[in-house]
Structures are given as C-alpha cells and as structure tokens.
Amino acid sequence: MKYQSFIMRVLCLLLIVGAVLGYNSMQKKDSDTEKDQQIASLTTRVEALEKQQDEILSALEEAAKAQEEAKKKAEEEAKNQKAQVEETSSGDASEDAKKDEENTDETEAEDTSSNEDSEELVYKNGTYTGDGQGFGGNIQVQVTLENDTITDIQVVSAPGEDSAYLSQGQGVISTILASQSTDVDTISGATFSSTGIINAVNDALGKAENQ
C-alpha cells in the first residue's frame, strides 16, 4: 500500500511533467508558426516594394527619355524656324531693295517729267492773288491756273466798289475764261470795275509766270 501511494505520486508527477513539456512544445510550435507567417508576410511586402521600385525606375527612365526627345525636337524646330526667318528676312530685304530701287527710278522719272513739263509751261500751276485799281479803290482777285489754263477767277476783295457796278463788271470774268486771255473788252456801264478786274488778273498772271 505504501509503494502503491509512492507509485501514484510518481505517476502524477510524470503526468504533470509531461503536461508541462507538451504545453511548452505546443507553445514553441505556435511561436514558430507565427514567426514563419511574419517572415512570409515580410517577404511578400519586400517583394511588392521591390516590384514597385522597379516600376518607378522604369517610369523615371521613360520620362527622362521622353524629355530628352522633346528637347531635341524643340531644338530642331527652333533651328528650322531660325533658318526660315533668316531666309524670309533675306528675301524681304532683297525684295524691299528692289522695290526701293524701282520706286526711286519711278520718282526720278516723274521728277524729270514734272520738271520738263514745268519748263514747258508759261505759268506755274496753283492759285495766285492779284490787285487792280477800280473806280472806288483796290480790287483783289484769285486766279487758279492748271497747265497754262485759267480754270477759275474769284473777286475776293473790293471794299470801295459799288456793289451794282462790281456785279456788272464781274461779267468780264466769263469773257477772260472763255478766251483764256485778258485782252478783252471792258463791260459797258462798268468800265472802271471791269478794268480793275482785268488789271488784277494780269497782276496774278505775272506772279504765276515761270522764271
């Protein structure tokens, strides 16, 4: 009986030791499994990061390559535009020089023609003022000339003349324009006024003569 109690105690102790060992073994197994899982997770993350890094590097390389190609294209376009501008400027300058030369020749020809025509004319073109003595004082007229033709005669001032006589005397103007000469008859009944107008026209023609 005494040995039986001892054996029972020994068996209980062995069971306890076995249970403790089994528990520790299970804890160790669970810990190893958790570590394996953590390692696997870390490995997966590292692989994902490496893949992401490779993708970023590839994208950066492609972006740098595209930027370099764009830069070369821009330089080439700028070079072509510069060449076109220089070519256009050269062509425009040549054309402008040619036009200037043609314009100069035309201007010289016109000036020569104008000078020749001017030398052939008795009177210079334009409007000239002349004065003549009327019955009541000075009569002033304006005579317009174009290519030796009297195109217009206007009485601009006759403060001392009687309006009726002056109006009648102005009839000589149409006679001068028709005959293109001041060698005309005076107006009967307004001799002094018409004579003053004729003399004023002669004075204006004298100022318009080519020297």
Side-chain angles (χ1 to χ4, degrees):
M1 187 72 177
K2 183 179 180 179
Y3 290 107
Q4 186 178 2
S5 178
F6 176 76
I7 293 171
M8 289 295 293
R9 289 183 178 179
V10 170
L11 289 175
C12 287
L13 181 62
L14 290 174
L15 288 173
I16 292 171
V17 170
V20 170
L21 290 175
Y23 178 77
N24 288 335
S25 177
M26 290 179 64
Q27 287 291 328
K28 183 177 180 181
K29 184 176 181 181
D30 291 340
S31 178
D32 291 340
T33 302
E34 185 177 355
K35 287 181 180 179
D36 291 340
Q37 290 177 349
Q38 290 178 351
I39 292 172
S41 177
L42 290 174
T43 303
T44 303
R45 290 183 180 181
V46 169
E47 290 176 352
L49 290 174
E50 288 178 349
K51 183 177 180 181
Q52 185 177 6
Q53 183 178 4
D54 291 339
E55 291 177 353
I56 293 173
L57 290 175
S58 298
L60 290 175
E61 289 177 356
E62 291 179 358
K65 185 177 180 181
Q67 185 176 5
E68 185 68 21
E69 291 178 354
K71 183 178 179 181
K72 289 182 179 180
K73 186 176 180 180
E75 290 177 352
E76 185 176 356
E77 290 180 354
K79 185 177 180 181
N80 293 334
Q81 290 179 355
K82 183 178 180 181
Q84 291 177 357
V85 169
E86 291 178 351
E87 183 178 356
T88 303
S89 299
S90 177
D92 291 343
S94 177
E95 187 175 353
D96 290 341
K98 185 177 180 180
K99 288 182 178 179
D100 290 340
E101 184 177 354
E102 291 176 354
N103 291 334
T104 301
D105 292 341
E106 290 178 359
T107 301
E108 290 177 353
E110 289 176 358
D111 291 342
T112 302
S113 176
S114 177
N115 291 334
E116 290 177 354
D117 293 341
S118 178
E119 290 176 358
E120 293 176 357
L121 295 176
V122 176
Y123 301 107
K124 292 178 288 186
N125 293 335
T127 300
Y128 301 89
T129 301
D131 296 286
Q133 187 64 32
F135 180 79
N138 184 67
I139 298 175
Q140 188 176 78
V141 301
Q142 283 185 345
V143 179
T144 302
L145 294 163
E146 185 175 353
N147 298 330
D148 280 349
T149 300
I150 302 173
T151 59
D152 188 39
I153 299 172
Q154 295 289 335
V155 176
V156 295
S157 176
E161 292 297 297
D162 182 272
S163 59
Y165 289 114
L166 179 62
S167 178
Q168 188 175 355
Q170 287 181 352
V172 77
I173 292 176
S174 59
T175 306
I176 295 173
L177 292 174
S179 62
Q180 288 295 306
S181 171
T182 56
D183 187 14
V184 296
D185 294 333
T186 58
I187 302 299
S188 178
T191 303
F192 289 104
S193 294
S194 57
T195 299
I197 292 172
I198 292 171
N199 291 335
V201 172
N202 282 327
D203 182 47
L205 293 175
K207 296 177 181 178
E209 287 182 352
N210 273 317
Q211 301 297 326

